[in-house]
């Protein structure tokens, strides 16, 4: 058998023909445990290649060495869907001369597929692979479960290099990416640190405010009329949203509601709902914990989906378009229901849409859960520091002090009031918060554009300015 | 949920924007039970659309109405990998003004993917689908198992229409093609006739000549040194090749040889070998019988693969490139080991490469099994009527009267002789046959080029002339 194994990463990069000014890509299923991006960028720097665009589905603090590669000219442009706080601070301080392009996970997939953001060399961190490049996240010491975000990179990049620390006998049966998309395979010592890749278990919040919001969220879903046979659901891994899922599960089991699917990043909690019969199926683009990894490996009802299938915008659509309810977070919501998940209260980048904008656009009921006050600042503002997800996609904001419904959803407001839920005007929520915190000072901003946030149509939706110079 | 269901096929064709001169595509998993190609072409004709190119992975006698659409100008060009005898006769009689382009299954996939043969509208016959286009061949009354050949069409066509007679609740979990590739879904009464789609069971030959060849074939494999742990294997559904697989199974079980995978079109016989531990895995691009369909639906070791993964030529390669042994058939073999599977002894088209050329190019040992004499004509000739698979890809010809080894494989000839097998010169086989049949008359040919047979590099490898005019 002709193996695609090359001796080392350096040989693979050379064989792939990487040159100055090209674009390389990375996926983020190894999250804050990922060793691959740093390993690759160091090797690229050693080879003297410069002026690269890095298209990374997300960046975490473990990727901080990337900042050095920006400083020394190896990297000149970033495309990403999410940045952690540490990385965000550097970007907000203007480390790049070109604005970062932020996309949603779905828009990233579509823009790669349609050639708007071509990739020259994709680097795929694979927890298990065979010598011809069939690879999976379901096996191996650094198993991450789904590899959904890496699939567009593999399908459309000009060259594809798989890096693995677990070589399996050919053919690896349960591939996420098949060999016909792979040019080279490189064996490395360790692709990542399992502790940084997955939580041991995801936990429901014990915070009383979180529990109040969770209970209210479940009641909103119930009152919306969507909680019936065929119900579909997406939520994140945050403690309060998990608590909302717990409340939902209780209602679904009591009322014997047979949902259809849960979607998105998958936690053990959603796996438990699958097993309890709340859903027929899990559609998984990313596993958040060990239970989810075990489930996607063993349970055929738990399916891996590609980023485009999950959330790609466009006429053919994606699973998000068939979603009933999504529960999402926010750092700020404004009185037009625009949501910020990119910047913190000081205007510093510390997040990104991920699938936020996609799920919000698709779901019949998009709910933001957030405490009325966070870090002594109101959650509701006149204008968010950055429009991550437009207010037109948001139906309802649930806080512990009341529920604000988008004026475009009078039907929903009516249903919630009929169910005895505390519907209030969003202005009222803002005033309540300000009565606690006072009116916050306007955020001082620098004058350099450090990021463009692109909407699902790939057009610029908002712009992030640098932090003020100290 | 926004459904992609359209009222009827006519609306779907119009919505897809099909116009004169465009290309439509079809896949052949429903084989001689397929109703879809005729249904679609009739509707296209009704709509007055003309001058189309039809790219069909294979054509069967059930598709004979296509000849009318050629006559009346609806269809002006054909691309295919295989034609049955009835269709072949029309083509050989010169029904088309442009030569048919024959490719292998792998080359078809690659040429679609790289844009060499773009598809405007792909029509996918799906035994089960949901209203958003997720679809599978594993379920439904016309279940065909794998849909591997349809995957390039779905991935790369400008518009994709799924036709099904079995609408499933959304989301259909075990999709072969996912909704993000599908534009429209059409519900039809019946996509096909199960009796024409699958054999009930595939059977081992009882013909004594076939059994002698099968036994010899198994001994050749054993003597080749390839039959050891990790062994991989492809064969067709013919009675003699199945008998060879039976002999092989016996040896593998006796000697406790743990193979890796069997590949290609899958029969119940290969499923039985999987279950017996002869292989770890089946890689299935097309199911030939009911047992194979049941197995691909239920056994995670039995995996559906896309046509490109199966056999796509190119630098990234495909599973065929890792194949140890393939057993293939032939209508003729010449003294340079070139194989014809396109035309019969009178020069009339009645077949095509399918995966023949791909598997032959990839396998370490490519074996042709054929009886020395067929229909009172020698199997070995000076020059085959059509080079379907070049002799450089063929290692050995097994007949009931001796084994001819390609002169380029002196190592193999040596190994076979050492094992006491009757290795003879291919000229000697030819003479033996001619001593029985006499020297056949040269085949009379017409002067019109009716087909180009393309090699795995997409260049013209051979040309088929029309039958002589009567």
């Amino acid at each position: 058998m002709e193996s695609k194994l090359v001796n080392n990463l350096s040989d693979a990069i050379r064989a792939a023909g990487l040159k100055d000014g090209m674009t390389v890509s990375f996926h983020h299923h190894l999250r804050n445990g990922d060793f691959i991006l740093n390993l690759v960028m160091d090797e690229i720097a050693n080879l003297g290649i410069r002026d690269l665009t890095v298209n990374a589905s997300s960046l975490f603090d473990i990727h901080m060495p990337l900042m050095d590669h920006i400083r020394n000219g190896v990297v000149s442009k970033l495309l990403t869907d999410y940045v952690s706080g540490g990385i965000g601070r550097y970007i907000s301080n203007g480390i790049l001369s070109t604005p970062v392009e932020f996309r949603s996970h779905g828009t990233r997939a579509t823009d790669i597929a349609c050639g708007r953001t071509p990739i020259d060399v994709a680097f795929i961190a694979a927890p298990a692979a065979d010598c011809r490049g069939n690879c999976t996240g379901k096996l191996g010491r650094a198993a991450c479960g789904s590899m959904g975000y890496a699939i567009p990179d593999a399908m459309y990049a000009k060259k594809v290099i798989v890096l693995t620390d677990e070589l399996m006998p050919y053919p690896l049966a349960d591939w996420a990416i098949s060999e016909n998309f792979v040019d080279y395979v490189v064996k490395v010592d360790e692709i990542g640190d399992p502790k940084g890749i997955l939580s041991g278990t995801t936990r429901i919040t014990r915070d009383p405010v979180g529990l109040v919001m969770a209970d209210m969220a479940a009641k909103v879903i119930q009152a919306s009329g969507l909680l019936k046979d065929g119900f579909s659901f997406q939520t994140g891994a945050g403690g309060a949203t998990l608590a909302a899922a717990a409340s939902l599960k209780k209602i679904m089991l009591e009322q014997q509601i047979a949902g259809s699917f849960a979607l998105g990043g998958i936690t053990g909690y959603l796996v438990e709902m699958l097993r309890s019969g709340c859903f027929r199926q899990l559609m998984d683009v990313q596993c958040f914990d060990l239970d989810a990894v075990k489930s996607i490996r063993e349970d055929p009802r738990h399916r891996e989906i590609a980023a485009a299938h999950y959330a790609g915008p466009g006429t053919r659509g994606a699973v998000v378009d068939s979603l009933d309810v999504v529960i999402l977070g926010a750092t700020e919501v404004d009185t037009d229901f625009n949501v910020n998940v990119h910047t913190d209260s000081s205007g510093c980048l510390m997040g990104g849409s991920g699938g936020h904008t996609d799920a919000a656009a698709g779901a019949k009921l998009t709910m933001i859960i957030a405490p009325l006050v966070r870090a002594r600042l109101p959650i509701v503002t006149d204008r968010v520091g950055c429009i991550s997800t437009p207010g037109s996609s948001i139906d309802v904001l649930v806080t512990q002090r009341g529920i604000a419904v988008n004026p475009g959803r009078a039907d929903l407001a009516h249903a919630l009031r009929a169910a005895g839920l505390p519907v209030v005007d969003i202005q009222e929520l803002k005033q309540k918060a300000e009565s606690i915190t006072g009116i916050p000072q306007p955020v001082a901003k620098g004058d350099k554009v450090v990021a463009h946030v692109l909407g699902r149509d790939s057009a610029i939706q908002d712009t992030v300015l640098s932090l003020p110079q100290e």
Side-chain angles (χ1 to χ4, degrees), chain A residues 127-314:
Chain A
D130 66 33
C131 69
R132 298 273 303 167
N134 295 296
C135 60
T136 182
K138 296 180 186 176
L139 306 168
R141 56 167 281 288
C144 62
S146 177
M147 282 178 61
Y149 294 129
I151 292 173
D153 305 45
M155 282 174 70
Y156 299 104
K158 293 190 191 76
K159 294 287 174 182
V160 175
I161 299 173
V162 164
L163 299 104
T164 191
D165 53 10
E166 191 102 12
L167 272 176
M168 310 283 287
Y170 181 91
L172 186 153
D174 199 3
W175 62 84
I177 291 165
S178 58
E179 65 190 283
N180 50 308
F181 294 110
V182 178
D183 294 283
Y184 308 104
V185 179
V186 181
K187 170 82 165 63
V188 298
D189 289 340
E190 290 188 312
I191 63 164
D193 173 8
K195 285 197 292 292
I197 299 171
L198 298 168
S199 328
T201 51
T202 39
R203 275 181 214 286
I204 293 171
T205 188
R206 291 179 180 187
D207 165 47
V209 170
L211 290 172
V212 168
M213 293 192 299
D215 182 57
M216 197 122 59
K219 285 179 176 152
V220 167
I221 294 169
Q222 196 174 14
S224 73
L226 294 166
L227 192 59
K228 56 192 178 193
D229 285 352
F231 175 71
S232 59
F233 182 57
Q234 177 172 345
T235 187
T241 54
L242 286 179
S247 301
L248 203 60
K249 178 184 173 195
K250 193 157 168 282
I251 298 170
M252 291 179 80
L253 292 179
E254 276 169 12
Q255 304 191 0
Q256 300 192 321
I257 293 163
S260 54
F261 67 93
L263 175 67
I266 299 294
T267 60
Y269 210 83
L270 291 171
V271 170
E272 187 47 43
M273 290 179 82
L274 173 74
R275 290 192 189 133
S276 308
C278 295
F279 301 110
R280 268 191 288 117
Q281 194 176 336
L282 301 180
M283 311 278 269
D284 186 342
V285 74
Q286 175 181 22
C287 297
F288 282 124
D289 59 26
L290 287 168
D291 286 345
V293 173
K294 185 171 188 307
S295 168
I296 200 172
R297 185 165 51 222
E298 295 173 3
D299 191 334
R301 298 172 300 176
H302 184 162
R303 289 284 319 251
E304 181 167 24
I305 57 173
H309 190 189
Y310 164 45

Side-chain angles (χ1 to χ4, degrees), chain A residues 92 342-343 347 349 385-386 448-453 462-466:
Chain A
S92 281
H342 278 83
T343 59
L349 284 161
C386 171
K448 178 177 174 178
V449 174
V450 295
H452 290 308
V453 175
D462 207 347
T463 288
V464 180
L465 293 173
S466 56

